[in-house]
């Protein structure tokens, strides 16, 4: 500080230009405030001074900091970047965080922005210009982080003006701006408000902002379709209200630049008509099914947290009370849940008691924070960390913590989660959805979920599937501009959302829906009958399991056994590996639930998408290509020995079989087999049936060699697709392309069957393709004789197979092998008798 001046350090690295050179009149004409613009060369934004983060929109494209002297500094990364809706931005701190000078605030993908943003020029401006002015700035040079950039000094406070008197006028306005009141419209609004003498406020759901403060207006988070109220008090109140309402209408009519098309968005062939730019959006399938319904946009306002702290003991008591109440509510809900919903709630209860989290909150309380601020900072730090890890699953777990953050804050604030009155057949649209928000929705009214972000393995996706609600995620930001009430057709199998379909399209969707319902009811009624093709070939339909409750559900659905027990559920999210007794108890419980039917237990498939914290795997540049699956078991043979001992002790003898994951060479099978033989000899047990998973192209093309050492193969189509196509299966952007029906994957499956048949080994499929009705005839035609799919898929699979003939399956498989893409394979129709009857199932 020089005299009364505060020196601000460079928050970004790059060329510094005068603000007037910004290619955007809102910034160039200093409507938002005075400052400079930086053309960044590094994708980071750091704090220019000590301060508090007072503005951080969910799109994370801009951050506002309040310095200790009260100056408010907005750093806006690029121009018109709000339209990216967070794509390419990674917040590193939370709203409300107190930060040190130089602390990392956000990171962004420079290349991505260079391609998608109007300009990279990033304004750094003082937004409370009534109280602070730019004293000096050093422009026309390259700056590095932390170098002095500009200085700010306090000026006479405009806020000391006497409160306005006179008439009060109010008016409600529905915001029609695609991106709501973000920086530019907020600045225009603030400038317009400055023309009137009246005091003017903008209110959204009970939260109020001074209309002259663009930052306060931005902080309201007003979105497209929100109803705001403009209130003016003073002599020119009527003119002020009308003036601002007219400005909003004009801004809307003049239109904002259209947002760039998101990568996940695809226009269907029929959507080329110019009439409806949103006619079909493409996303990633997250829960199967078809829904026709009305759009309901779910917007959860931020919870307002009391900032001022009382005595330490009071704040501690308040936080403990809120944590206890949240835990009790979770417990109540857990008791009423079954299956995966229950497990997710259990995980949330564990997070709530996390000692590090509690310690972090206590430290904040001791430092003088109120209960709400302490909780927000403590858990917010973890959310930011998880979001910062370049692993989609970790980011999805951040949503779980964000959910707990919200639940506890709601209790502290005394607010209740806004209850949404859903109409019947609601298709809920959300930017992201937290598990508790989904559980709060009336399941009898939710027809489907259309989510802008999210991933197919998020807890919301799992819950939606368990609730039988079709869901599509990663639809991109344009889904948020769909009007409430718009008619939608959501296809959870294909990952598509059709907006405002015409009469013909509606009729087609209704027919498909009716056929689907009838088929499901039929399939369920005959689920327990045995499964043979129409011409008598036996095809076994098994279920993939990962927990005890699922086994019972699988049996109810007519599964003939478990073709894949993913034992990682016992090994993950804990500090040490489970012992033999614990494993035996879990395996035995599942074996009992299967009532004597075969149980194929896969040995630990740790690594990559299935992290196990206590294994010292070290940092791997490419975990999917690193020490994983069988490689882990052979690197820690004691782990394998213990697991095999537990498996071999499951009774009755022979019910449990052993399956080895991620096999790439014969030597691995031999090494594992030797350990299994030792354990069996030690226990005096017979050697179990042994299978190898075919998940690597190496295993597929050497299946003839591997067949000599195993009793059966099971094709993991998820990993086989990932490795054949060189596409990360956990990457949401690629989710639509990692399709096991790609002819390259099908050729590897054909090769596996060819190799296996030389020694008469049966081949099963147990990846996602095995639950896919479009894939079943092709897999059977290629020679697969067992499908192990999701428990819920079993009835329909069995019903479909009963209507197929071997000739039909072989014919479609042959045609599939000759196609050039998965899309072409998916476009094939079954030939021969009975094909018409099943066309619905395959289209
Ligand atoms: C597969 O890769 O297809 C498979 C069944 O194993 P997981 O999905 O558990 O990796
Ligand atoms: Mg796998």
């Amino acid at each position: 500080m020089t005299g009364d001046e505060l020196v601000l350090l460079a928050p970004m690295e790059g060329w510094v230009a005068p603000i007037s050179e910004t290619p955007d009149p809102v910034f160039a004409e200093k409507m938002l405030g005075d400052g400079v613009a930086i053309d960044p060369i590094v994708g980071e934004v750091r704090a220019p001074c000590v301060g508090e983060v007072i503005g951080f929109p969910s799109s994370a494209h801009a951050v506002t900091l309040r310095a200790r002297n009260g100056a408010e500094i907005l750093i806006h990364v690029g121009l018109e970047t709000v339209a990216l809706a967070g794509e390419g931005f990674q917040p590193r701190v939370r709203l409300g965080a107190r930060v040190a000078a130089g602390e990392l605030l956000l990171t962004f993908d420079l290349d991505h922005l260079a391609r998608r943003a109007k300009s990279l020029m990033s304004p750094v401006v003082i937004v409370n210009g009534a109280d602070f002015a730019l004293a000096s700035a050093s422009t026309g040079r390259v700056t590095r982080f932390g170098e002095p950039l500009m200085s700010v000094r306090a000026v006479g406070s405009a806020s000391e003006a006497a409160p306005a008197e006179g008439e009060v006028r109010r008016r409600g306005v529905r915001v029609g701006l695609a991106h709501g009141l973000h920086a530019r419209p907020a600045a225009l609004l603030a400038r317009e408000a400055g023309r009137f003498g009246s005091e003017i406020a903008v209110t959204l759901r009970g939260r109020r902002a001074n209309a002259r403060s663009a930052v306060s207006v931005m902080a309201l988070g007003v979105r497209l379709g929100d109803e705001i109220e403009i209130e003016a008090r003073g002599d020119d109140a009527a003119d002020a209200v009308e003036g601002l309402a007219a400005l909003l209408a004009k801004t809307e009519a003049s239109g904002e630049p259209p947002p760039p098309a998101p990568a996940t968005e695809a226009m269907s062939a029929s959507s080329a008509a110019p009439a409806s730019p949103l006619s079909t959006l493409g996303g990633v399938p997250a829960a199967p099914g078809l829904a026709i319904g009305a759009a309901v946009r779910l917007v959860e306002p931020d919870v307002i947290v009391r900032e001022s702290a009382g005595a330490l003991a009071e704040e501690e008591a308040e936080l403990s009370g809120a944590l206890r109440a949240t835990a009790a509510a979770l417990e109540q809900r857990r008791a009423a849940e079954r299956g995966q919903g229950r497990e997710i709630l259990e995980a949330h209860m564990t997070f709530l008691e996390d000692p590090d989290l509690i310690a972090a909150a206590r430290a904040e309380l001791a430092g003088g924070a109120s209960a709400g601020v302490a909780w927000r900072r403590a858990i917010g730090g973890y959310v930011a960390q998880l979001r910062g890890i370049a692993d989609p699953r970790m980011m999805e777990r951040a949503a779980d913590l964000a959910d707990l953050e919200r639940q506890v804050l709601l209790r502290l604030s005394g607010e209740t989660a806004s209850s949404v009155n859903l109409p019947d057949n609601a298709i809920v649209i959300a930017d992201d959805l937290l598990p508790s928000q989904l559980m709060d929705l009336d399941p009898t009214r939710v027809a489907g979920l259309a989510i802008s972000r999210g991933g197919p393995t998020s807890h919301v996706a799992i819950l939606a599937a368990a609730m039988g609600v079709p869901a599509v995620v990663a639809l991109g930001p344009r889904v948020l501009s769909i009007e409430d009430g718009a008619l939608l057709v959501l296809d959870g199998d294909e990952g598509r959302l059709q907006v405002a379909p015409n009469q013909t399209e509606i009729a087609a969707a209704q027919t498909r829906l009716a056929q689907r319902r009838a088929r499901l009811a039929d399939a369920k009624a005959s689920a327990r009958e045995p499964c043979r093709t129409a011409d008598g070939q036996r095809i076994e339909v098994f279920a993939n399991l990962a927990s005890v409750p699922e086994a019972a559900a699988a049996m109810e659905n007519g599964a003939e056994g478990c073709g894949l027990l993913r034992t990682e559920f016992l090994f993950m999210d804990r500090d040490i590996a489970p012992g033999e007794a614990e494993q035996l108890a879990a395996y035995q419980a599942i074996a009992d639930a299967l009532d004597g039917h075969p149980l194929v237990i896969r040995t630990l498939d740790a690594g990559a998408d299935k992290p196990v914290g206590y294994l010292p795997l070290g940092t791997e540049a490419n975990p999917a290509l690193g020490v994983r699956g069988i490689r882990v078991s052979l690197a820690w043979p004691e782990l394998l020995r213990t697991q095999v001992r537990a498996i071999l002790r499951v009774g009755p003898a022979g019910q449990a079989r052993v399956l080895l994951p991620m096999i790439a060479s014969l030597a691995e099978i031999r090494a594992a087999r030797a350990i299994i033989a030792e354990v069996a000899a030690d226990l005096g047990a017979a050697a179990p049936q042994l299978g190898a998973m075919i998940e690597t192209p190496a295993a597929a093309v050497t299946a003839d060699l591997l067949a000599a050492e195993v009793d059966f193969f099971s094709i993991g189509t998820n990993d086989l697709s990932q490795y054949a196509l060189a596409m990360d299966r956990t990457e949401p952007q690629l989710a639509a392309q990692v399709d096991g029906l790609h002819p390259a994957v099908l050729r590897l499956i054909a090769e596996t069957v060819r190799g296996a048949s030389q020694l008469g080994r049966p081949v099963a499929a147990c990846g996602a393709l095995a639950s896919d009705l479009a894939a079943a005839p092709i897999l059977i035609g290629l020679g697969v004789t067992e499908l192990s799919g999701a428990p819920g898929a079993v009835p329909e699979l069995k019903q479909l197979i009963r209507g197929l003939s071997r000739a039909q399956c072989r014919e479609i498989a042959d045609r599939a092998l000759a196609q050039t893409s998965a899309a072409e394979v998916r476009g094939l129709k079954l030939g021969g008798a009975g094909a018409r009857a099943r066309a619905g199932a395959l289209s």
Side-chain angles (χ1 to χ4, degrees), residues 530-574:
C531 183
R532 289 183 186 283
T533 58
D535 55 349
Q537 187 187 354
R538 180 84 173 93
I539 302 289
E540 291 174 307
V541 182
F542 282 32
N544 296 341
L545 303 177
S547 70
V548 181
E550 281 179 350
M555 293 308 285
E556 258 174 48
N557 280 340
E560 300 174 80
C562 165
L564 170 68
L565 178 68
R566 289 182 163 107
T567 57
E568 299 76 46
F569 78 98
L570 274 173
F571 290 77
M572 289 165 70
D573 300 322
R574 55 192 292 163

Side-chain angles (χ1 to χ4, degrees), residues 471-504:
V472 180
V473 297
L475 278 160
R478 288 181 76 188
V479 72
L480 302 175
S481 59
I482 294 173
E483 289 281 332
D484 267 355
L487 189 63
L488 304 174
V489 175
L490 179 112
D491 188 333
D493 302 315
E494 300 286 332
R496 268 203 310 264
L497 181 71
Q498 209 171 6
V499 186
N502 61 32
Q503 282 308 319
T504 323

